[in-house]
């Protein structure tokens, strides 16, 4: 091979590697992304049960119930609509009533939400950005620390 | 002034260092290609070393040596840009002298605060505590709290300080803010109720009664809250209910509980009233259990750090005083106790020794000191 | 007064950075020795001044001077001393001050130890460093000034986020930043080379130790952060594919590529243009990481209080430096001479594959991290890209690379024979395969993926050790001679062996935890027994807890195996005083085979506690692997070839004199 051919071969193999990477990325992205909704968005967009998604909002005050310390039921609200969430596991330290929360899981036939992950944050003033923005868009007033 | 001088000196030092560096520089005759040759020669030596140790095979070493040598030889043909080297230290110094202050000064003037003194914790507490300057402390905290009304910490300081200064109405507000900001504890509710009551001349207001009731709901065992709930019942004329509550509280209280006396007082009073068959008793809170451990509570409401600092400051001042006036036997005993409270046994035994030496002619004081030492377990 | 001296030192440092930037670049252009000497001294002065400012801030933290707003907001007088000190960088302003401090330290180090660099190249490197320093000092002074004062000073501070009050996390940022910022040196080298229009042998040789240093720091910084997340967050995981984590992973991947490609530049004078581009990318990703973390533009569980306005400032810095350097690259790169030739199957070829895969992996992470942001900007949809995406892209990309790792060092430069390498490595391959198969058979129902991971890990470790033993001539020469060779082995070679073996070890741990983890979440009352893996856990009871700045409860659990008491685990729920913020301390029992991980949860209504237990097989391999990689990096750095002030310098003028007359 001449110098030019060698270089061409190298560039081609590089492009092939990038092509494989790009293919993987495109395939994975279309297959694995998870959409984020607040309770009212979920109602507006008629989200089909069975789809994996993230539900965000605030934990409605007084709604948290856990009978055995492992199964938790709470209500997520964006002040317009609410969704009941069931979660088996340990709630994060910073999970509190009236605070922002994101739950990932699957919407059930009966309209409740079966979460397998519940996220709160390291910082106690935390309001998940999506939650803050969604609530702001709906005109809900937020206290300090929101929208970080 | 001193600060300004420091700034000027710092700037001059920086300019000076840069100017001296420029002045002492020498124009190097080495060209870039010389550095490359140095690298190649080093690589050749390295190959030799590795080969001698046997960490690379002779064939590999030979191939690498050929390559490096070829590149070394190639450097001979290399075209070097030949910008003549110059050296002009005076210009460098001038540039530094101009540029650095011109950039630094306006920035510092804009963002700096040259008139602000340092205020480390020790200085702050010393100032405030040494002067017993509670009003000044409060004024400062109040000013802060106007800007940051949701600073719980500020309200904590204010609530206990107001109580100390008998500003009960303000104290009640401060407690209300703490409760609103998340410190919705039985203690705070009780203290708020107490402040409201004191502000009202001892009559328990409906708000206060509600607060006590809420407190008991959160912590059904809290003696102070239960006591006030009973008082409220008493003042409302529900004498039987009050008596029941007080008796229950009495039964739940340990034998050495400091509030037993107060509860007993109220029970006695209740009995009198009942015996007399009189209308609702006492307008005021004459029988109120004194300052209800006010100081202790206030101290408990402070954070551990504050309290330690406060106690330490007080202890230090006591020690100072005793140095000036060592004849104060009681003072010595207090100092020894205080050291033990702070967990500083060494300081306590030192103080004990000093006191013993000083009072060696006064046997009754020595006896008292020995008794104290025994009581506190000081060696 | 002390505080204001610190503030003035910071502002003065900014002025010196501007001076350093201008004087070095102009001095190099004019070949003015005086200017270049002053520029070198400016780099040292800047480091001293920022150091002064940094220690003044630290002093303010230690004495709890709440007249400094930053101290008031992030400290508390009752906090332990260690966390008063680490509180300096536990917040935005302080961490940016640490950032510029480390940047200036690297600049100072180049000025001090770069004696073997051609003066003009060194001046240009320092000039570019000065420009980066200037930009970030402006950012600090204008938007994130840690010396803003409060008057009157509040009595008490607001406290450090308690979750940050942890020894591993106290020292995680300095290491991570050293890694991030160290890449600025490689960047400055690259831009300097582009300005000069040539890549010298000296350039190639002396860019390596700096890149290696920042790679080493990045490795340990990421490992510490991951270790912290593992035992502090109470989720039992060590990596969450969170944007902030990805922000540190991307520069690490590219830095890994860079330390490999720089070898080719030094040894073979090839891949020069590519290496310049990689240097630019590596630092660009560092800047991007800083931007992502500091702007809070992406949702992250690790994001602390952040401010979008500052994000724009960093975005502007980002645009100027990345845009500027890439433009310069586009103009100058075609003028660079291409270097040595090599066949596709050769050491160089293997390193090219290494680079391609690492960059593709970094690109996959990049897409996954930024795609949600892009999509939201485009059509407002809010999505998350989670672990499944990264497992699906990153994994398949990295496996082929990992398979190639033991081959690389066995290949010869220029042209190599795969059959020769096959002859040398077949035994290792068989052993690794056997281990993988054995694992597959042993864990009958276990996922075959885990067996693959262990097999690949074994392949890496055995391959690295095999290569070492071949170098030592084990089996061919007497033991004493092998020992002598071992002692004479270049430390860089030893470092490579350690780094590759450490990678294998970490890989085994990662696959073990990912595929064999056992989880059990139960509600327990005192006396209750639950089982996890081969262990049983008995809840003994809980006691109240009182720490220096927190209160809480502490739960005791007896851990038994085959009925015999192994240890007593303690998990705590703490509530920190100033903020009333709760945290969980997990109980951890570590063995070589795996960790028992136990986190106590909330009190249940019926009086019990929810308890979360994991058995994480081989988890400690991850940290040991990372530690060994770190050691490998350190060992390489002490190689005599990297040692500063190499003796060659003295010989150079003499050499040049004779050559000069000949030329």
């Amino acid at each position: 091979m001449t110098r030019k051919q060698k270089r061409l071969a190298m560039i081609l193999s590089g492009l092939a590697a990038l092509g494989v990477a790009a293919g993987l990325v495109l395939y994975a992205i279309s297959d694995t992304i998870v959409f984020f909704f607040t309770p009212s968005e979920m109602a507006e967009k008629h989200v089909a049960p069975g789809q994996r998604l993230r539900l965000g909002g605030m934990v409605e005050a007084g709604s948290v119930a856990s009978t055995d310390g492992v199964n938790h039921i709470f209500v997520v609200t964006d002040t317009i609509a609410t969704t009941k969430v069931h979660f088996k596991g340990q709630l994060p330290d910073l999970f509190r009533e009236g605070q922002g929360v994101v739950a990932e899981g699957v919407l059930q036939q009966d309209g409740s939400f079966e979460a397998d992950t519940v996220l709160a944050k390291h910082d106690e003033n935390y309001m998940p950005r999506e939650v803050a923005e969604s609530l702001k868009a709906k005109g809900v007033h937020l206290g300090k620390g929101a929208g970080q | 002034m001193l600060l300004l001088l420091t700034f000027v000196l710092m700037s001059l030092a920086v300019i000076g260092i840069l100017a001296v560096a420029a002045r002492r520089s020498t124009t190097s005759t080495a060209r870039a290609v010389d550095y490359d040759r140095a690298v190649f020669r080093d690589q050749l030596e390295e190959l030799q070393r590795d080969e001698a140790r046997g960490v690379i095979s002779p064939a590999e070493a030979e191939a690498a040596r050929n390559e490096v040598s070829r590149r070394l030889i190639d450097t001979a043909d290399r075209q070097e840009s030949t910008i003549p080297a110059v050296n002009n230290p005076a210009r460098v110094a001038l540039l530094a002298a101009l540029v650095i202050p011109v950039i630094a000064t306006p920035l510092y003037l804009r963002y700096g605060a040259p008139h602000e003194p340092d205020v480390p914790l020790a200085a702050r507490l010393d100032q405030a505590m040494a002067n017993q300057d509670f009003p000044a402390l409060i004024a400062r905290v109040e000013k802060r709290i106007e800007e940051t009304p949701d600073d719980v910490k500020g309200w904590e300081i204010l609530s206990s300080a107001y109580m100390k200064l008998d500003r009960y109405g303000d104290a009640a507000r401060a407690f209300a803010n703490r409760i609103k900001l998340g410190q919705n504890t039985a203690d705070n509710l009780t203290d708020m109720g107490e402040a409201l009551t004191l502000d009202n001349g001892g009559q328990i207001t409906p708000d206060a009664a509600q607060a006590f009731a809420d407190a008991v709901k959160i912590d059904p065992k809290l003696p102070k809250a239960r006591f006030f709930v009973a008082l409220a019942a008493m003042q409302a004329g529900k004498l039987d209910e009050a008596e029941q509550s007080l008796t229950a509280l009495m039964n739940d209280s340990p034998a050495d509980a400091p509030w037993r006396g107060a509860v007993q007082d109220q029970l006695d009073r209740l009995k009198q009233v009942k015996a007399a068959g009189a209308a609702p008793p006492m307008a005021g809170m004459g029988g109120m259990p004194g300052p209800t451990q006010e100081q202790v509570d206030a101290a408990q409401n402070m954070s551990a750090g504050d309290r330690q600092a406060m106690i330490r400051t007080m202890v230090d001042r006591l020690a100072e005083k005793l140095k000036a006036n060592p004849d104060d036997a009681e003072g010595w005993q207090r100092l020894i106790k205080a050291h033990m409270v702070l967990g500083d046994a060494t300081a306590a035994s030192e103080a004990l020794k000093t006191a013993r030496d000083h009072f060696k002619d006064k046997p009754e004081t020595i006896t008292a000191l020995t008794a104290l030492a025994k009581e506190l377990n000081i060696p | 007064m002390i505080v204001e001296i610190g503030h003035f030192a910071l502002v003065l440092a900014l002025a010196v950075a501007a001076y350093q930037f201008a004087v070095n670049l102009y001095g190099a252009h004019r070949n003015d020795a005086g200017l270049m000497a002053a520029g070198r001294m400016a780099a040292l002065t800047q480091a001293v001044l920022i150091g002064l400012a940094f220690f003044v801030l630290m002093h303010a933290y230690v004495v709890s001077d709440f007249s400094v707003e930053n101290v008031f907001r992030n400290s508390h007088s009752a906090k332990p001393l260690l966390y008063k000190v680490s509180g300096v960088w536990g917040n935005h302003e302080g961490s940016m001050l640490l950032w510029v401090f480390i940047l200036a330290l690297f600049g100072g180090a180049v000025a001090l130890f770069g004696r073997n660099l051609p003066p003009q190249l060194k001046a240009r490197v320092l000039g570019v460093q000065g420009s980066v320093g200037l930009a970030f000092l402006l950012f600090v002074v204008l938007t994130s000034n840690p010396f803003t004062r409060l008057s009157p000073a509040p009595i008490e501070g607001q406290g450090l986020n308690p979750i940050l009050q942890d020894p591993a996390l106290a020292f995680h940022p300095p290491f991570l930043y050293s890694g991030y910022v160290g890449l600025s040196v490689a960047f400055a080298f690259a831009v300097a080379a582009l300005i000069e229009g040539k890549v010298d042998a000296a350039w190639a040789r002396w860019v390596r130790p700096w890149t290696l240093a920042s790679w080493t720091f990045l490795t340990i910084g990421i490992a510490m952060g991951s270790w912290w997340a593992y035992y502090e967050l109470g989720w039992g995981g060590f990596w969450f594919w969170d944007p902030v984590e990805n922000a540190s992973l991307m520069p690490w991947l590219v830095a890994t590529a860079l330390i490999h490609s720089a070898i080719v530049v030094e040894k073979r004078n090839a891949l020069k243009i590519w290496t310049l581009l990689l240097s630019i990318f590596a630092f660009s990703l560092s800047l991007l990481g800083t931007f992502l973390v500091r702007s809070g533009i992406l949702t992250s569980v690790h994001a602390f209080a952040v401010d979008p306005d500052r994000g724009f400032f960093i975005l502007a810095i980002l645009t100027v430096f990345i845009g500027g350097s890439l433009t310069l690259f586009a103009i100058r790169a075609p003028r660079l001479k291409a270097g040595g030739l090599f066949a596709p199957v050769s050491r160089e070829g293997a390193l090219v594959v290494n680079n391609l895969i690492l960059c593709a992996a970094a690109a996959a992470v990049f897409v996954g991290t930024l795609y949600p942001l892009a999509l939201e900007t485009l059509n407002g949809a809010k999505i998350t890209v989670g672990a499944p995406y990264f497992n699906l892209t990153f994994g398949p990309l990295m496996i082929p690379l990992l398979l190639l790792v033991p081959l690389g060092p066995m290949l010869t430069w220029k042209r190599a024979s795969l059959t020769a390498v096959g002859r040398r490595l077949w035994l290792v391959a068989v052993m690794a395969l056997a281990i993988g198969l054995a694992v597959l058979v042993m864990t009958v129902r276990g996922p075959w993926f885990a067996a693959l991971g262990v097999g690949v890990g074994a392949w890496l470790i055995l391959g690295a050790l095999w290569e070492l033993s071949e170098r030592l001539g084990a089996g061919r020469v007497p033991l004493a001679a092998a020992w002598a060779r071992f002692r004479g082995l270049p430390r860089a070679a030893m470092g490579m062996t350690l780094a590759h073996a450490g990678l294998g070890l970490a890989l085994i741990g990662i696959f073990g935890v990912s595929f064999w983890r056992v989880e059990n979440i139960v509600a327990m009352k005192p006396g209750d027994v639950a089982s996890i893996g081969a262990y049983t856990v008995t809840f003994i009871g809980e006691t109240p807890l009182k720490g220096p700045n927190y209160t809480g409860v502490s739960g005791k659990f007896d851990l038994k195996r085959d009925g015999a008491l192994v240890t007593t685990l303690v998990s705590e729920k703490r509530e920190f005083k100033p903020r009333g913020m709760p945290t969980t301390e997990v109980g951890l029992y570590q063995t070589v085979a795996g960790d028992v991980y136990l986190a106590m949860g909330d009190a249940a209504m019926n009086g019990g506690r929810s308890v979360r237990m994991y058995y994480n097989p081989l988890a400690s391999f991850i940290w040991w692997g990372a530690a060994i990689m770190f050691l490998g990096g350190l060992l390489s750095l002490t190689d005599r070839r990297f040692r500063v002030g190499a003796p060659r310098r003295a010989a150079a003028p003499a050499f040049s004199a004779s050559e000069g007359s000949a030329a």
Side-chain angles (χ1 to χ4, degrees), chain B residues 10-342:
Chain B
M10 282 167 78
S11 309
L12 285 179
V14 167
I15 294 166
I17 287 170
L18 296 177
V20 168
R23 212 184 154 67
R24 288 174 55 183
S25 72
T26 47
T27 319
S28 163
T29 51
R31 297 162 302 160
V33 69
D34 300 327
Y35 289 86
D36 276 10
R37 285 175 187 153
V39 169
F40 294 139
R41 287 163 54 101
D42 193 31
Q43 281 178 341
L44 286 176
E45 262 182 36
E46 215 172 278
L47 279 169
Q48 214 168 0
R49 264 197 313 273
D50 286 356
E51 195 185 0
R53 289 206 197 91
V55 289
I56 57 170
S57 71
E60 260 181 296
E62 194 51 37
R65 199 173 359 255
N66 283 342
E67 164 127 10
V68 176
S69 306
R70 192 178 49 72
R71 288 169 67 190
L72 182 58
I73 293 161
D74 280 351
T75 58
D77 312 332
R78 213 159 86 183
Q79 297 293 318
E80 285 287 314
S81 64
T82 45
I83 306 165
V86 289
N87 194 352
N88 194 343
R91 203 172 53 191
V92 178
L94 193 67
L95 197 65
L98 277 178
V99 164
I100 286 171
V102 162
I103 296 176
T105 312
L107 275 174
Y108 183 77
L109 288 179
R110 168 71 183 77
Y111 293 100
H115 302 298
E116 290 295 326
D118 291 350
V119 198
L121 177 71
R124 281 198 309 281
L125 289 180
D126 280 357
Q127 272 170 23
M129 294 291 176
N131 310 336
Q132 284 288 314
D133 193 2
F134 274 108
L137 270 177
I138 288 178
R140 296 178 107 185
V141 183
E142 278 170 339
K143 198 170 166 201
R144 291 283 324 144
I145 213 99
E146 269 170 34
E147 292 159 29
T148 52
D150 48 1
D151 174 14
V152 182
K153 195 73 213 168
W155 289 118
E156 274 174 29
I157 295 168
L158 280 180
S159 57
S160 57
Y162 285 144
M163 285 302 272
K164 236 177 245 165
L165 294 176
D166 302 338
R167 288 168 64 177
Y168 302 121
D170 292 333
R173 258 193 320 109
F175 279 118
N177 276 315
R178 289 175 63 179
I179 291 161
K180 197 177 72 193
L181 291 172
Q183 295 189 337
N184 191 16
T185 64
D187 279 326
N188 283 344
L189 283 162
T190 313
D191 290 345
M192 179 174 80
E194 185 184 4
L196 283 169
T197 309
L198 290 168
D199 193 40
N200 197 29
Q203 273 296 356
I204 295 175
T205 64
D207 282 354
Q210 185 61 46
F212 296 133
D214 289 348
V216 173
K217 235 177 263 165
I218 295 175
D219 182 358
K221 290 211 168 70
L222 191 70
K224 195 161 148 186
R226 290 169 66 184
F227 177 73
F228 275 107
V229 167
L231 275 192
M234 209 194 301
Q235 290 184 3
K238 300 176 194 161
L239 299 184
D240 292 340
E241 194 185 316
E243 187 173 10
Q244 271 171 23
S245 311
L246 285 172
T247 314
L249 175 57
M250 202 64 180
N251 292 340
D252 291 351
S253 303
D256 57 347
W259 60 81
R260 282 188 82 98
V263 177
Q264 194 56 52
D265 282 353
Q266 292 302 336
L267 270 174
D268 294 348
R269 186 176 290 253
L270 196 60
K271 285 204 187 91
Q272 281 170 20
V273 172
K274 268 187 156 175
M282 45 193 180
M285 284 227 306
M288 253 278 298
T292 56
Q293 300 172 267
E294 234 172 72
Q295 281 113 357
V296 181
D297 279 343
Q300 268 166 4
N301 280 332
M302 299 174 83
S303 77
D306 273 348
R307 196 162 67 235
Q308 286 292 80
M310 186 178 92
I311 296 174
R312 215 168 280 273
T313 319
M314 280 163 32
V315 171
D316 290 347
R317 276 175 50 217
L318 185 57
E320 288 290 329
K321 242 193 258 167
L322 288 172
K323 220 180 260 171
N325 172 27
D327 289 326
D328 181 4
E330 249 182 57
W332 282 106
Q333 296 187 17
R334 257 189 304 160
L335 181 65
I336 293 162
K337 267 188 211 160
H339 277 312
M340 285 311 279
V341 168
L342 287 172

Side-chain angles (χ1 to χ4, degrees), chain C residues 350-427:
Chain C
L351 290 171
V352 167
V353 175
N354 151 307
N355 271 232
L356 280 175
I357 294 180
L358 283 169
C359 289
V365 176
F366 182 87
V367 170
T369 310
L370 292 180
Y371 185 65
L373 187 65
L375 197 67
E376 194 181 337
T377 319
L378 287 178
N379 66 4
K382 296 193 185 79
I383 59 152
T384 36
V385 172
Y389 165 84
F390 294 101
N391 292 340
L392 211 55
T393 54
F394 193 73
L397 282 173
M398 289 304 274
I399 295 281
L401 173 63
L402 295 169
L403 288 175
L404 280 179
V405 167
L407 296 182
M410 298 258 177
L411 294 166
T412 50
W413 293 104
K414 273 173 118 169
R415 191 174 301 105
S417 149
L418 273 180
T419 43
V421 174
R423 258 201 302 278
R424 286 162 68 190
L425 270 177
W426 69 269
L427 190 61

Side-chain angles (χ1 to χ4, degrees), chain C residues 225-227 229-230 236-240 245 509-510 513-514 517 622-623:
Chain C
S226 167
W227 163 240
Y230 178 63
F238 59 91
W239 192 262
F240 305 101
E245 293 168 348
I510 290 168
V513 175
S514 304
R517 119 175 309 183
I622 303 175
W623 327 115

Side-chain angles (χ1 to χ4, degrees), chain C residues 21-390:
Chain C
F21 164 55
V23 162
N24 272 304
L25 288 184
Y26 182 69
H29 180 68
R30 293 288 310 273
N31 200 7
D32 184 325
L35 284 179
M36 289 193 285
R40 192 164 56 241
M41 190 49 86
L44 291 170
T45 313
Q46 193 206 342
V48 170
L49 286 171
I50 299 181
L52 180 61
F54 184 76
F55 286 109
V56 163
L57 186 64
M58 191 179 277
H59 176 258
Y61 267 88
V62 170
V63 300
S64 296
D65 188 340
F66 298 139
S67 70
V68 180
E69 185 179 357
N70 184 257
V71 183
F72 160 69
R73 294 215 178 282
N74 300 292
S75 194
H76 188 276
S77 59
K79 206 164 64 170
L81 184 66
L82 171 68
Y83 303 124
K84 281 185 182 164
V85 171
S86 70
V88 176
W89 53 78
N91 62 85
H92 171 78
E93 291 83 1
S95 70
M96 288 316 295
L97 185 62
L98 178 68
W99 207 98
V100 289
F101 181 36
I102 295 174
L103 184 74
L105 280 179
F106 270 102
V110 172
L112 209 57
F113 301 129
R115 270 168 294 182
N116 29 34
L117 285 173
Q120 278 170 288
L121 176 64
K122 182 161 78 172
R124 289 191 169 111
V125 169
L126 290 176
V128 177
Q129 277 273 327
S131 71
V132 179
L134 175 63
F136 277 92
L137 280 167
L138 274 173
F139 174 72
V140 170
V141 172
L142 299 186
T143 75
S144 314
N145 198 318
F147 292 109
T148 306
R149 304 297 294 271
L150 278 179
S151 180
I155 292 298
E156 196 43 276
Q158 295 180 334
L160 173 69
N161 187 338
I163 206 154
L164 301 179
Q165 298 186 20
D166 175 271
L169 204 67
F171 297 105
H172 156 71
F175 279 111
L176 195 63
Y177 283 9
S178 299
Y180 270 164
V181 175
L183 291 173
S184 72
V185 181
F187 173 81
F189 265 81
V191 173
L194 287 170
I195 294 174
E196 294 200 331
K198 62 186 164 78
V199 177
D200 296 334
W203 185 97
R205 182 167 191 136
W206 303 121
V207 75
R208 262 186 75 201
W210 300 105
T211 316
L212 188 60
S214 47
W215 178 87
T216 307
F217 284 130
L218 259 182
T219 305
I220 196 69
I222 293 173
M224 279 172 118
S226 167
W227 163 240
W228 169 78
Y230 178 63
Y231 77 82
E232 180 68 33
L233 294 187
W235 305 345
F238 59 91
W239 192 262
F240 305 101
W241 293 109
D242 179 273
V244 168
E245 293 168 348
N246 295 346
S248 63
L249 180 64
M250 289 187 278
W252 184 85
L253 290 168
V254 176
T256 310
L258 186 56
I259 50 179
H260 288 95
S261 79
I263 302 176
V264 182
V265 184
E266 188 198 343
K267 299 275 186 199
R268 294 279 301 123
N269 198 30
L271 294 187
K272 287 189 286 193
I273 300 174
W274 169 246
T275 302
L276 292 182
L277 192 61
L278 266 188
S279 307
I280 293 174
F281 277 155
F283 185 57
S284 300
L285 288 170
S286 286
L287 288 179
L288 183 77
T290 311
F291 168 67
L292 290 182
V293 176
R294 287 293 145 216
S295 68
I297 195 156
L298 291 170
T299 307
S300 155
V301 289
H302 301 303
F304 301 99
V306 282
D307 174 355
D309 295 339
R310 291 166 174 165
F312 288 118
F313 201 114
I314 301 191
L315 193 61
I317 297 179
L318 210 71
T319 315
V320 169
F321 281 97
I322 301 178
S325 56
L326 287 179
T327 310
L328 188 66
F329 180 82
I331 298 170
R332 287 295 175 90
R335 279 179 43 187
L336 293 172
K337 267 190 288 181
L341 285 172
F342 54 88
V345 178
S346 61
R347 178 92 63 99
E348 296 94 318
L351 290 171
V352 167
V353 175
N354 151 307
N355 271 232
L356 280 175
I357 294 180
L358 283 169
C359 289
V365 176
F366 182 87
V367 170
T369 310
L370 292 180
Y371 185 65
L373 187 65
L375 197 67
E376 194 181 337
T377 319
L378 287 178
N379 66 4
K382 296 193 185 79
I383 59 152
T384 36
V385 172
Y389 165 84
F390 294 101

